[in-house]
Amino acid sequence: MSSNSFSYNEQSGGGEATELGQEATSTISPSGAFGLFSSDLKKNEDLKQMLESNKDSAKLDAMKRIVGMIAKGKNASELFPAVVKNVASKNIEIKKLVYVYLVRYAEEQQDLALLSISTFQRALKDPNQLIRASALRVLSSIRVPIIVPIMMLAIKEASADLSPYVRKNAAHAIQKLYSLDPEQKEMLIEVIEKLLKDKSTLVAGSVVMAFEEVCPDRIDLIHKNYRKLCNLLVDVEEWGQVVIIHMLTRYARTQFVSPWKEGDELEDNEKNFYESDDDQKEKTDKRKKPYTMDPDHRLLIRNTKPLLQSRNAAVVMAVAQLYWHISPKSEAGIISKSLVRLLRSNREVQYIVLQNIATMSIQRKGMFEPYLKSFYVRSTDPTMIKTLKLEILTNLASEANISTLLREFQTYVKSQDKQFAAATIQTIGRCATNIMEVTDTCLNGLVCLLSNRDEIVVAESVVVIKKLLQMQPVQHGEIIKHMAKLLDSITVPVARASILWLIGENCERVPKIAPDVLRKMAKSFTSEDDLVKLQILNLGAKLYLTNSKQTKLLTQYILNLGKYDQNYDIRDRTRFIRQLIVPNEKSGALSKYAKKIFLAQKPAPLLESPFKDRDHFQLGTLSHTLNIKATGYLELSNWPEVAPDPSVRNVEVIELAKEWTPAGKAKQENSAKKFYSESEEEEDSSDSSSDSESESGSESGEQGESGEEGDSNEDSSEDSSSEQDSESGRESGLENKRTAKRNSKAKGKSDSEDGEKENEKSKTSDSSNAESSSIEDSSSDSESESESESESESRKVTQEKEKKTKQSRTPLTKDVSLLDLDDFNPVSTPVALPTPALSPSLMADLEGLNLSTSSSVISVSTPVFVPTKTHVLLHRMSGKGLAAHYFFPRQPCIFGDKMISIQITLNNTTDQKIENIHIGEKKLPIGLKMHVFNPIDSLEPEGSITVSMGIDFCDSTQTASFQLCTKDDCFSVNIQPPVGELLLPVAMSEKDFKKEQGMLTGMNETSAVIIAAPQNFTPSVIFQKVVNIANVGAVPSGQDNIHRFAAKTVHSGSLMLVTVELKEGSTAQLIINTEKTVIGSVLLRELKPVLSQG
């Protein structure tokens, strides 16, 4: 208590502490410790009073201080009764903090927590998702078996909650309940099975963690969710990614056949020698079958690849172990760069990563050879990191790089860190045994180290030289003599024992030195270490057998000393040697073979890596780090000989997709709508509501960007592969409808959109889905002519039957329309054509295209030639080899006068044909319309094609999100227009410009001051910079210091007037006049830095 009181005294404000201290001293004896103790009681009393106050502000302040105490690790358990009273508070902020406190102390104060259990149950129905989730967390933190049924019911209800955050907490509660009562396993598995079907990225990681904790062996639960988990993986939070990747690694090892066929063949060849011819034939037949990777196996490898760039080291490590354990050996190399990147992290991360690299580098040396220098030791590295780096350098050593490594090792030997220097000498010894070409060099280097001043270095060198000399002892008599002289100076027992062993083994090669060494050792026998004494006994025995004339008496003297030694090992060894080498009546038949026993040829020691046997543990696990099986470790199974049935991973929805025909009638359209989950419909409606401001022109560039992120996240998280297939089927049906409509239009008929009719039907038939379906259809289809709404509404009912009969007659083959100019649009930088220059065949579509606005003086002019700015639509890595780029050609759009023309270049970077490239599902903000390009049947390998499409952005920089689909896949992509591309250049006189500018003042005018060097204010530089940013036309000016530009917005035709007025010195004023104030301010923000820079 006193320690808590002291720490709490530190935390609170100075003035408060002084005041309370004065209170304490006035009532209690002034001793320091007692006063401090009592002031703490006062402080906690103070907090209790604040918690019992009628004011929410006082309660909130008290709770903040209490949570602050918990965060600093201080004990606040005595406040539990006062806090738990506020659990029913109506103030959400207080309630949240109370739940944070209860989660921490509910387990310690179970009885008091149980009193409030009814409040927690009520809170599970609270409209606020945070309160519901917190209530569930508190409930699961009360570790009392009596409330297990209540917890079970709460988890079941929470798993069906509309909020993904609450469902996530339900998954967390599953693990707590299982540890409290394992008998609930079957019921919990049902909840896990339900939550595994959840499409939210927030839930995925938590439910897989619960799966791993409760029922890791129930692989059957994963089958149907495998593809969804692979697709969601990129968007799951980082620790969820780690858990999912480890689980999917184990799953892949049970469901797919091994991709490592080459190694297996070699093993088979060795075994075939012992088998019959029939067995051999069967095996060779099996081997002849080429290995084809399961598409689901490839999906997992492909979807985890982007995570190698994750900022979280655990995620990168998880992906690395997945590639190591399940990918083909030819593809595993990509992980090396990512692992080397992690070596820049803190030392704890380095230690784990280096351990895993050490294991990998034993089996696949080539993976890390290019990064050899990354494993060089730094002076700031701790010893544990240094020794691991040495281990890896030894594994990577080869004939090509050994000379570089030996130079590096020479430096390491001089290190002040003696443990590291000793490890380096061992490393040199291992390199010498592994690479025969440098054995002599290493040996000479080690002999030089024998004269080192540092005893530890000399001792370690002796031990390593002893191992090397065992490999080729004949050639090195001089080294043995040199080492014998060192016995006088070396004191390290291991080194002394090694020298004695060497002299004993080679006693016949050094006949003069060996007896003298034994004489010296006999003198110091009693003071030697036990290890050295044993080797002295061995040396005496060997010399007795080879040179008994000189050493008989010495050996007997040493045996007498050993007979009375304090260590029983030495006494036993002495008796054993005496009976063996000194013949007498009692000695048995063994004494005849004493020389063969003592002087037998010993095999050279095998210097192996300590990481050699760790590869049977899964990389990145605790078991691998400790090299021992840890509790809860799940072993990787061996690859199955025959892959289990892959159809278990198919989701039933695929069958529905096949039933849809491209001619798509209203009934099928409605069934397609019902297929989507409620959560998706809710998200669509929320998207539309958030983007509704765009109509009034209140959408800024930043809002567009945030919309883009949201859309892309939804795309990747909500769509499973089966849904993508069904979407592409529906969209291709709509595309055929559009083609039929275009042909009918050429005859002068004006029809309303088919998508709008479907929408009208759905409004009358299904009121509950009206909002979401209308948004989807209106945003997904657009048409070439611009009819007024009243006309289209009146014609819809009368034309509906007519349209259906036309469509039923239209064949399903691809129609070629004159509007399908995708293949003929040039990729080079565009020059817009004035309206009359268009071919007559396009005049029907452009009949209603009025290029003049309300002002009679304004006419659209030809845009100025500028270099094309290309934007990435789909990267080849994300698109599985399909790359897409887009640019704005600044031409009037042939699909509609309110649309902006966009050209998309598609490239096939794979070595296989990509088929059926088309636009899939569209997620457009309300009001935006899109005219898609016709589906492309196929794109040859390394082929490229440019297609055109039109988007009506409604004069805003909102993001148009849609799916670019191929035969097999769908990719979520976004197009966000630069503000300058929302304009068309107009030609007008200076007089008209001033007149229009006079009408657009006040709120419609924005300006900024620009500071730049005078050479940046020449007319040509200003002109070039402005037209590069915005599609505007230059207005003739009678004044040299004023430059004027004019344009109009594509959708509404509102004027955009830009003026650059040069002032004295190096300043200028940039003025923009327009009704579209949002676009005007965004354009000003983009032009200002461009005009300022050199």
Side-chain angles (χ1 to χ4, degrees):
M1 189 62 173
S2 60
S3 65
N4 284 333
S5 65
F6 176 70
S7 50
Y8 190 75
N9 191 18
E10 281 184 335
Q11 176 200 332
S12 63
E16 199 173 56
T18 312
E19 190 179 317
L20 290 166
Q22 285 167 355
E23 248 181 297
T25 47
S26 63
T27 53
I28 303 174
S29 71
S31 106
F34 198 63
L36 186 65
F37 178 76
S38 114
S39 77
D40 182 58
L41 281 177
K42 285 279 181 188
K43 278 177 188 169
N44 284 342
E45 284 299 320
D46 181 34
L47 284 169
K48 286 174 184 173
Q49 284 172 14
M50 288 169 77
L51 287 168
E52 287 165 9
S53 161
N54 294 326
K55 292 182 181 177
D56 280 355
S57 59
K59 288 181 180 178
L60 188 60
D61 190 37
M63 283 312 303
K64 283 179 180 175
R65 283 167 59 185
I66 293 167
V67 171
M69 286 170 66
I70 296 169
K72 289 185 177 180
K74 294 162 189 172
N75 187 11
S77 57
E78 64 177 31
L79 293 164
F80 196 93
V83 172
V84 84
K85 287 177 190 172
N86 292 291
V87 76
S89 171
K90 290 181 181 177
N91 186 313
I92 286 180
E93 290 304 313
I94 295 172
K95 212 171 195 177
K96 278 192 227 171
L97 292 174
V98 168
Y99 279 127
V100 169
Y101 177 89
L102 291 176
V103 168
R104 170 68 183 79
Y105 288 110
E107 194 170 345
E108 293 175 23
Q109 308 268 355
Q110 292 173 349
D111 295 339
L112 283 169
L114 282 171
L115 295 175
S116 307
I117 205 155
S118 58
T119 313
F120 303 144
Q121 286 178 283
R122 276 201 308 277
L124 289 168
K125 308 285 184 188
D126 196 277
N128 188 321
Q129 58 173 352
L130 293 173
I131 301 298
R132 294 201 300 277
S134 299
L136 183 61
R137 284 171 65 194
V138 175
L139 204 58
S140 58
S141 299
I142 305 171
R143 318 279 292 160
V144 182
I146 198 168
I147 65 159
V148 165
I150 298 172
M151 277 173 68
M152 192 70 235
L153 192 65
I155 289 171
K156 279 186 174 177
E157 286 180 5
S159 66
D161 198 282
L162 289 174
S163 164
Y165 181 67
V166 178
R167 300 199 296 274
K168 177 189 178 78
N169 278 278
H172 290 163
I174 288 171
Q175 300 164 61
K176 293 182 183 177
L177 180 55
Y178 179 68
S179 65
L180 181 65
D181 184 8
E183 291 178 9
Q184 301 292 322
K185 183 173 180 178
E186 289 307 314
M187 292 175 77
L188 290 174
I189 289 173
E190 288 175 23
V191 180
I192 289 172
E193 188 174 6
K194 181 181 177 183
L195 285 173
L196 278 169
K197 294 173 185 171
D198 202 303
K199 291 179 183 175
S200 171
T201 52
L202 204 62
V203 181
S206 302
V207 70
V208 171
M209 188 71 229
F211 169 83
E212 291 282 80
E213 198 74 30
V214 178
C215 53
D217 51 332
R218 287 290 304 274
I219 292 289
D220 55 298
L221 299 180
I222 304 297
H223 290 324
K224 297 286 182 193
N225 304 294
Y226 172 80
R227 290 171 190 162
K228 183 195 72 183
L229 285 172
C230 288
N231 288 322
L232 292 187
L233 195 55
V234 179
D235 296 311
V236 176
E237 37 86 31
E238 291 167 342
W239 296 110
Q241 287 173 345
V242 175
V243 176
I244 293 171
I245 291 168
H246 277 280
M247 185 274 291
L248 291 178
T249 306
R250 285 195 305 107
Y251 179 87
R253 287 291 285 257
T254 61
Q255 300 300 310
F256 309 125
V257 292
S258 170
W260 311 329
K261 289 296 174 189
E262 301 80 17
D264 295 349
E265 282 183 24
L266 293 174
E267 288 170 22
D268 286 351
N269 288 341
E270 288 167 15
K271 291 170 192 169
N272 283 342
F273 179 75
Y274 300 100
E275 292 170 357
S276 66
D277 293 344
D278 295 337
D279 291 345
Q280 267 191 328
K281 258 189 187 177
E282 282 174 29
K283 286 208 168 189
T284 48
D285 288 347
K286 274 184 192 174
R287 240 183 283 132
K288 279 175 189 171
K289 292 177 184 174
Y291 168 73
T292 50
M293 186 178 280
D294 189 298
D296 288 327
H297 191 170
R298 172 59 62 199
L299 176 73
L300 175 58
I301 292 170
R302 188 175 59 233
N303 283 16
T304 50
K305 188 177 179 180
L307 297 179
L308 285 170
Q309 268 106 47
S310 174
R311 63 183 177 178
N312 188 313
V315 175
V316 178
M317 193 63 246
V319 178
Q321 65 82 29
L322 178 134
Y323 265 78
W324 178 258
H325 290 299
I326 73 162
S327 76
K329 290 181 180 177
S330 58
E331 294 179 28
I334 63 165
I335 64 175
S336 49
K337 191 173 184 180
S338 301
L339 290 175
V340 169
R341 173 172 65 86
L342 295 184
L343 297 181
R344 300 190 190 113
S345 308
N346 56 51
R347 57 177 61 180
E348 291 79 15
V349 171
Q350 283 185 54
Y351 180 71
I352 299 298
V353 172
L354 286 168
Q355 277 201 323
N356 288 282
I357 292 175
T359 303
M360 293 182 200
S361 59
I362 294 169
Q363 290 185 26
R364 301 182 202 169
K365 193 183 288 189
M367 275 175 61
F368 295 96
E369 275 181 342
Y371 306 100
L372 189 71
K373 288 187 179 177
S374 300
F375 304 110
Y376 284 177
V377 174
R378 294 176 182 163
S379 57
T380 52
D381 287 336
T383 307
M384 60 180 185
I385 302 293
K386 287 176 179 174
T387 48
L388 277 172
K389 284 185 173 179
L390 274 178
E391 180 61 40
I392 294 165
L393 289 173
T394 313
N395 293 340
L396 298 181
S398 63
E399 291 87 347
N401 59 26
I402 189 64
S403 56
T404 313
L405 288 179
L406 286 177
R407 279 199 301 275
E408 193 73 14
F409 294 155
Q410 274 180 322
T411 315
Y412 299 165
V413 169
K414 298 168 190 170
S415 169
Q416 296 300 311
D417 183 346
K418 298 310 166 196
Q419 190 184 341
F420 169 55
T424 305
I425 293 165
Q426 289 176 10
T427 300
I428 293 170
R430 273 182 56 198
C431 289
T433 55
N434 295 340
I435 303 162
M436 301 309 290
E437 289 83 352
V438 294
T439 306
D440 291 340
T441 313
C442 292
L443 201 52
N444 294 336
L446 291 169
V447 170
C448 292
L449 289 176
L450 294 177
S451 57
N452 197 295
R453 290 180 187 175
D454 196 312
E455 196 176 19
I456 296 172
V457 171
V458 175
E460 199 64 48
S461 302
V462 167
V463 176
V464 174
I465 288 170
K466 171 224 161 187
K467 290 175 181 174
L468 291 178
L469 289 182
Q470 273 186 266
M471 296 167 65
Q472 39 187 3
V474 184
Q475 310 158 16
H476 300 293
E478 288 302 315
I479 295 174
I480 295 167
K481 288 176 187 174
H482 181 62
M483 291 173 77
K485 292 173 188 172
L486 292 172
L487 272 174
D488 298 331
S489 56
I490 291 180
T491 58
V492 178
V494 181
R496 291 175 72 81
S498 296
I499 294 172
L500 290 171
W501 184 89
L502 264 178
I503 293 168
E505 281 297 297
N506 300 284
C507 56
E508 291 173 328
R509 295 191 186 90
V510 283
K512 293 179 181 176
I513 294 172
D516 196 49
V517 168
L518 185 65
R519 178 182 61 78
K520 286 181 181 178
M521 290 296 105
K523 279 184 188 178
S524 60
F525 184 87
T526 51
S527 60
E528 293 288 355
D529 188 89
D530 292 342
L531 189 64
V532 181
K533 285 178 181 176
L534 289 170
Q535 288 305 326
I536 295 170
L537 289 168
N538 283 352
L539 176 62
K542 289 170 186 173
L543 285 173
Y544 185 92
L545 294 168
T546 58
N547 189 2
S548 58
K549 188 178 177 183
Q550 279 184 292
T551 57
K552 186 175 181 181
L553 293 171
L554 266 176
T555 304
Q556 286 179 348
Y557 171 69
I558 289 167
L559 289 173
N560 286 333
L561 288 174
K563 187 178 179 181
Y564 301 106
D565 197 89
Q566 291 179 345
N567 187 306
Y568 55 81
D569 276 339
I570 292 163
R571 294 199 300 271
D572 286 351
R573 175 74 63 91
T574 305
R575 292 191 192 99
F576 161 69
I577 288 173
R578 190 187 290 278
Q579 289 298 319
L580 201 57
I581 65 171
V582 183
N584 56 25
E585 298 84 23
K586 292 180 183 177
S587 57
L590 270 180
S591 58
K592 296 175 189 174
Y593 305 104
K595 192 169 183 178
K596 285 185 178 179
I597 290 170
F598 276 102
L599 296 170
Q601 190 68 37
K602 277 88 173 175
L606 195 62
L607 301 176
E608 287 185 335
S609 168
F611 288 85
K612 191 168 186 253
D613 301 325
R614 292 199 188 196
D615 54 352
H616 60 275
F617 290 116
Q618 187 175 352
L619 294 184
T621 57
L622 179 63
S623 299
H624 176 270
T625 304
L626 301 175
N627 199 19
I628 188 169
K629 190 172 178 179
T631 311
Y633 173 72
L634 300 165
E635 286 189 3
L636 280 180
S637 59
N638 293 324
W639 294 102
E641 286 295 321
V642 181
D645 181 17
S647 64
V648 292
R649 288 184 290 279
N650 294 344
V651 185
E652 289 79 1
V653 179
I654 292 171
E655 298 304 317
L656 289 171
K658 285 179 184 170
E659 290 171 16
W660 296 341
T661 57
K665 294 180 184 176
K667 186 178 178 183
Q668 290 166 336
E669 191 77 2
N670 283 337
S671 66
K673 289 285 180 291
K674 285 172 191 172
F675 162 68
Y676 296 105
S677 65
E678 290 174 21
S679 61
E680 281 183 307
E681 290 182 331
E682 283 167 16
E683 281 184 19
D684 281 349
S685 58
S686 67
D687 275 354
S688 62
S689 63
S690 67
D691 289 327
S692 60
E693 293 175 9
S694 64
E695 280 296 312
S696 61
S698 62
E699 184 74 19
S700 69
E702 284 85 351
Q703 287 169 327
E705 282 169 20
S706 63
E708 179 182 354
E709 283 176 30
D711 286 343
S712 65
N713 284 344
E714 275 172 26
D715 287 349
S716 54
S717 64
E718 291 296 331
D719 295 331
S720 66
S721 56
S722 59
E723 287 178 303
Q724 289 171 350
D725 292 343
S726 60
E727 271 299 309
S728 59
R730 190 165 67 86
E731 285 297 324
S732 60
L734 290 171
E735 190 62 34
N736 282 330
K737 292 176 194 173
R738 290 193 204 107
T739 312
K741 281 186 277 182
R742 279 196 224 108
N743 290 339
S744 64
K745 272 184 206 140
K747 298 170 188 173
K749 293 179 184 178
S750 58
D751 294 326
S752 60
E753 289 179 38
D754 188 39
E756 287 175 6
K757 286 182 204 160
E758 296 289 6
N759 181 16
E760 192 65 32
K761 278 189 180 182
S762 66
K763 277 184 187 173
T764 53
S765 63
D766 190 358
S767 59
S768 65
N769 288 339
E771 189 184 352
S772 60
S773 60
S774 65
I775 289 162
E776 191 176 319
D777 286 337
S778 65
S779 63
S780 64
D781 293 331
S782 63
E783 207 45 62
S784 57
E785 85 282 3
S786 55
E787 279 189 317
S788 67
E789 282 186 23
S790 57
E791 286 174 346
S792 61
E793 285 292 323
S794 61
R795 291 181 193 175
K796 266 178 195 169
V797 183
T798 55
Q799 288 181 352
E800 195 159 350
K801 289 179 185 175
E802 220 174 276
K803 190 74 175 229
K804 277 193 181 175
T805 53
K806 274 184 201 172
Q807 280 188 350
S808 63
R809 279 189 243 123
T810 308
L812 292 177
T813 54
K814 185 184 174 186
D815 292 320
V816 180
S817 158
L818 285 171
L819 289 181
D820 302 340
L821 299 174
D822 301 343
D823 298 336
F824 307 106
N825 280 325
V827 188
S828 59
T829 41
V831 177
L833 297 170
T835 336
L838 293 169
S839 59
S841 59
L842 299 178
M843 292 307 289
D845 278 290
L846 298 174
E847 228 169 25
L849 191 66
N850 181 12
L851 296 180
S852 62
T853 60
S854 56
S855 171
S856 58
V857 294
I858 302 166
S859 61
V860 175
S861 63
T862 307
V864 180
F865 177 88
V866 291
T868 307
K869 290 179 188 171
T870 307
H871 310 270
V872 176
L873 183 65
L874 180 66
H875 193 273
R876 62 186 174 81
M877 302 297 282
S878 311
K880 303 176 186 176
L882 176 65
H885 296 79
Y886 68 93
F887 66 92
F888 298 90
R890 294 192 175 181
Q891 293 178 343
C893 184
I894 59 173
F895 303 123
D897 62 338
K898 294 185 178 182
M899 288 190 174
I900 291 166
S901 179
I902 299 167
Q903 291 204 352
I904 299 175
T905 304
L906 302 163
N907 295 302
N908 180 359
T909 62
T910 65
D911 53 2
Q912 294 176 345
K913 189 188 289 186
I914 297 178
E915 297 180 346
N916 190 20
I917 303 171
H918 61 280
I919 300 293
E921 183 193 358
K922 300 171 212 143
K923 290 191 176 177
L924 303 176
I926 202 163
L928 263 66
K929 292 180 182 177
M930 179 189 290
H931 188 287
V932 302
F933 59 83
N934 286 336
I936 297 162
D937 291 337
S938 66
L939 188 57
E940 296 299 322
E942 303 301 326
S944 175
I945 187 169
T946 302
V947 293
S948 292
M949 60 189 291
I951 301 178
D952 179 0
F953 287 102
C954 299
D955 291 348
S956 74
T957 54
Q958 293 180 94
T959 304
S961 298
F962 56 94
Q963 288 190 331
L964 184 61
C965 299
T966 63
K967 183 183 177 184
D968 305 312
D969 299 286
C970 285
F971 311 103
S972 299
V973 293
N974 307 295
I975 293 180
Q976 184 176 18
V979 69
E981 303 300 337
L982 301 173
L983 309 173
L984 282 175
V986 295
M988 61 166 64
S989 64
E990 186 179 4
K991 183 181 174 184
D992 293 327
F993 185 96
K994 288 178 179 176
K995 180 184 171 187
E996 294 292 342
Q997 191 177 29
M999 294 161 64
L1000 295 168
T1001 54
M1003 294 287 286
N1004 296 325
E1005 181 174 293
T1006 51
S1007 64
V1009 176
I1010 303 163
I1011 300 168
Q1015 62 266 27
N1016 294 329
F1017 285 152
T1018 60
S1020 59
V1021 171
I1022 291 172
F1023 174 77
Q1024 201 59 45
K1025 285 183 175 181
V1026 171
V1027 295
N1028 270 340
I1029 293 293
N1031 188 15
V1032 294
V1035 175
S1037 176
Q1039 297 155 286
D1040 293 338
N1041 66 324
I1042 297 178
H1043 305 275
R1044 296 185 176 93
F1045 305 89
K1048 67 165 193 171
T1049 58
V1050 176
H1051 178 81
S1052 61
S1054 303
L1055 277 178
M1056 179 76 64
L1057 307 177
V1058 180
T1059 309
V1060 180
E1061 187 176 348
L1062 306 181
K1063 303 287 185 182
E1064 289 180 7
S1066 56
T1067 60
Q1069 188 169 23
L1070 174 64
I1071 306 165
I1072 295 179
N1073 301 80
T1074 180
E1075 288 175 359
K1076 299 284 182 181
T1077 51
V1078 174
I1079 295 183
S1081 61
V1082 175
L1083 183 60
L1084 183 83
R1085 204 161 57 233
E1086 290 194 10
L1087 280 173
K1088 186 180 174 182
V1090 172
L1091 290 170
S1092 300
Q1093 68 192 20

